[in-house]
Amino acid sequence: MFLIPFIVIGLFLLFAALFTVKQQTSVIIERFGRFNSIRNSGLQLKVPVIDRIAGRVNLRIQQLDVIIETKTKDNVFVKLKVSVQFKVLQDKVYEAFYKLEYPHDQITSYVFDVVRAEVPKLKLDDVFERKDDIAVAVKRELNDAMSTYGYDIINTLITDIDPDIQVKNAMNRINAADREKTAAEYEAEAGRIRIVAKAKAEAESKRLQGQGIADQRREIARGLVESVDVLNRVGINSQEASALIVVTQHYDTLQAIGADTNSNLILLPNSPQAGSEMLNNMVASFTASNQVGEAMKKANSQKRIKSDKKDEFGGTDSDE
């Protein structure tokens, strides 16, 4: 019973002397209020009552988001969100713990100072285009300032640029107007291409149509020449042959018109003299047609007589 209090005190002192440190963490040990040592991860031992844990320093990478409102060169107020990734150097835990009481406030002050020095030099559009340059400037300034206190700046990022709502609406309208202008230009160019293509197609169609008409007229002329030659061989002169061809074409035209039940034909001479000339031409055409018929009949009859004589005498024309 006498030893129980000593055993309890011994156990209390033992548990007070032992402590653990987590991974990526450093513990500051002070003895009578003065820095004594830095303990890293694992099971550690300290002198009870004499030594105490002054603080724990996180060695992992941390992130601090800083929102800054500033003005651009073209007098537009804009909010920037800067994300700073940093960590405490393991060999400078003492400086990080004792030299800075509020490191986040210190980092924020430097970020404000750099951003408000860089952004007013740029126009709003340039802020969007050169945000990486601003981030590099912030990182460079922070590294120069915070390395003395045991902090390493891993990276700085401009994660958001937020102008005033009216400015954003104006930018959207400008963008929409520019796109509409581009669309109108493309539509106009497409219309021009369609018009040019249509004109080329019409020109080609007219050319082919004219070529077809020319070929048709050439063939008609060739046929007329052949018809006149045939009629000349049977004793009809060129004038009578032309009149016969006109009459034939006249009746072909009447036949083509009569093939359609809904067609109407009205022949109105311009004057009595023109009417008489038309009548005379038609009479001459009929006369020529009759002459052609008679000539052809006479020629055919002579051929038959010659053929009969050949059959009767059984000889040739020379024998006869």
Side-chain angles (χ1 to χ4, degrees), residues 211-231:
Q211 183 178 353
I213 293 174
D215 293 340
Q216 180 185 11
R217 290 176 178 175
R218 190 180 301 109
E219 294 299 325
I220 291 174
R222 186 179 293 112
L224 292 175
V225 171
E226 293 177 356
S227 299
V228 172
D229 291 340
V230 171
L231 293 174

Side-chain angles (χ1 to χ4, degrees), residues 174-192 194:
I174 293 172
N175 185 269
D178 184 64
R179 292 181 182 274
E180 289 177 358
K181 176 184 177 182
T182 304
E185 291 176 353
Y186 277 110
E187 289 178 359
E189 181 65 17
R192 186 189 68 82
R194 285 194 295 267

Side-chain angles (χ1 to χ4, degrees), residues 70-78 119-120 122-124 167:
T70 184
K71 186 182 73 170
T72 62
K73 187 176 181 179
D74 47 355
N75 297 323
V76 177
F77 282 90
V78 60
V119 173
L122 305 173
K123 293 183 179 180
L124 181 61
V167 176

Side-chain angles (χ1 to χ4, degrees), residues 265-282:
L265 176 63
I266 300 176
L267 299 176
L268 296 176
N270 294 330
S271 64
Q273 183 179 359
S276 62
E277 291 179 358
M278 181 183 295
L279 182 59
N280 292 334
N281 291 333
M282 293 181 66

Side-chain angles (χ1 to χ4, degrees), residues 231 234-236 240 244 285-301 304:
L231 293 174
V234 297
I236 300 175
E240 293 173 345
L244 178 60
S285 298
F286 285 126
T287 303
S289 179
N290 290 331
Q291 291 177 357
V292 172
E294 292 297 333
M296 294 179 69
K297 288 179 181 180
K298 184 177 179 179
N300 291 332
S301 63
R304 285 196 298 270

Side-chain angles (χ1 to χ4, degrees), residues 67-82 111-122 124 127 134 161-164:
I67 298 177
I68 309 163
E69 183 176 11
T70 184
K71 186 182 73 170
T72 62
K73 187 176 181 179
D74 47 355
N75 297 323
V76 177
F77 282 90
V78 60
K79 289 183 179 180
L80 284 79
K81 182 178 180 181
V82 181
V111 172
F112 266 84
D113 181 65
V114 175
V115 171
R116 287 184 172 174
E118 294 292 330
V119 173
K121 301 176 183 178
L122 305 173
L124 181 61
V127 172
I134 299 173
I161 301 175
D162 186 19
D164 185 79

